[in-house]
Amino acid sequence: MANPTTLQLADGDPAMLAAIERARKLLNRRALAGAAAGAVPIPGLDWLVDAALLSKLLPAINEQFGLSPEQLERLPPRKREQVQKAISIVGSMLIGKFITRDLVIRMAASAGKRLTAKQAAKFVPLAGQVISAAISYSAIRYLGELHIRDCVQVCKSAKLKLPAPSPES
């Protein structure tokens, strides 16, 4: 299998599937908020909103998988080392780190063409706003799904026991 899906990577693990579901619920809410901001015809506002949404979303996703800096700090040193190795193998610069706006902007560069098209769409009345909202939604969804997949790969590779869901999840 060349490129397994996130659910295939979970391999039927109920705790992993539940973490994926919680993370996707967070992702859907943030992507809808990004779409709403994308529809506002003020150039540049959507970039700021997208960066702010992602800078809050990515740590929340990390937390669902036990990969926030605080959660990693509580692991025994040997397990922490396993997780760090898994993170470097996956190549994520957003797992186990404090997420800054600068880090999010660097990550968003991977979706740069979409975001540039979104800015250009702002200048087309009404249809441009719809296009911009759709692009904002899909860019946040795309980046969020990539991050969820990275988290699953790290957890599987490091054999990390997932945390119990928090009451507000």
Side-chain angles (χ1 to χ4, degrees), residues 4-47:
T5 67
T6 303
L7 293 177
Q8 289 169 330
L9 285 171
D11 199 29
D13 177 340
M16 187 69 70
L17 292 170
I20 292 168
E21 184 179 326
R22 289 189 309 272
R24 284 185 171 161
K25 188 183 284 188
L26 292 168
L27 174 56
N28 286 334
R29 278 187 255 153
R30 298 304 196 309
L32 287 171
V40 177
I42 301 171
L45 175 67
D46 49 348
W47 269 89

Side-chain angles (χ1 to χ4, degrees), residues 17-162:
L17 292 170
I20 292 168
E21 184 179 326
R22 289 189 309 272
R24 284 185 171 161
K25 188 183 284 188
L26 292 168
L27 174 56
N28 286 334
R29 278 187 255 153
R30 298 304 196 309
L32 287 171
V40 177
I42 301 171
L45 175 67
D46 49 348
W47 269 89
L48 293 172
V49 171
D50 288 354
L53 288 170
L54 285 167
S55 67
K56 293 202 182 333
L57 172 65
L58 299 175
I61 290 173
N62 284 344
E63 204 170 290
Q64 297 305 314
F65 292 94
L67 296 170
S68 73
E70 298 83 11
Q71 291 165 314
L72 293 178
E73 192 61 36
R74 290 192 297 258
L75 292 175
R78 191 162 170 71
K79 182 52 89 176
R80 197 173 332 139
E81 188 179 307
Q82 285 178 311
V83 172
Q84 290 303 329
K85 281 182 185 175
I87 290 169
S88 66
I89 289 169
V90 168
S92 175
M93 57 183 184
L94 300 170
I95 294 175
K97 305 220 174 24
F98 289 101
I99 309 294
T100 64
R101 192 176 262 171
D102 181 52
L103 201 53
V104 168
I105 289 170
R106 280 193 281 157
M107 184 191 84
S110 68
K113 289 180 184 164
R114 286 186 192 189
L115 298 173
T116 302
K118 181 169 71 167
Q119 291 301 316
K122 292 276 189 195
F123 297 106
V124 179
L126 194 56
Q129 292 164 349
V130 171
I131 292 167
S132 179
I135 291 171
S136 187
Y137 177 85
S138 64
I140 291 173
R141 287 277 317 177
Y142 173 76
L143 294 170
E145 282 293 337
L146 283 179
H147 189 63
I148 291 170
R149 180 184 168 85
D150 287 351
C151 288
V152 169
Q153 287 179 304
V154 166
C155 288
K156 295 292 279 188
S157 179
K159 295 177 177 57
L160 186 63
K161 184 176 186 270
L162 295 174

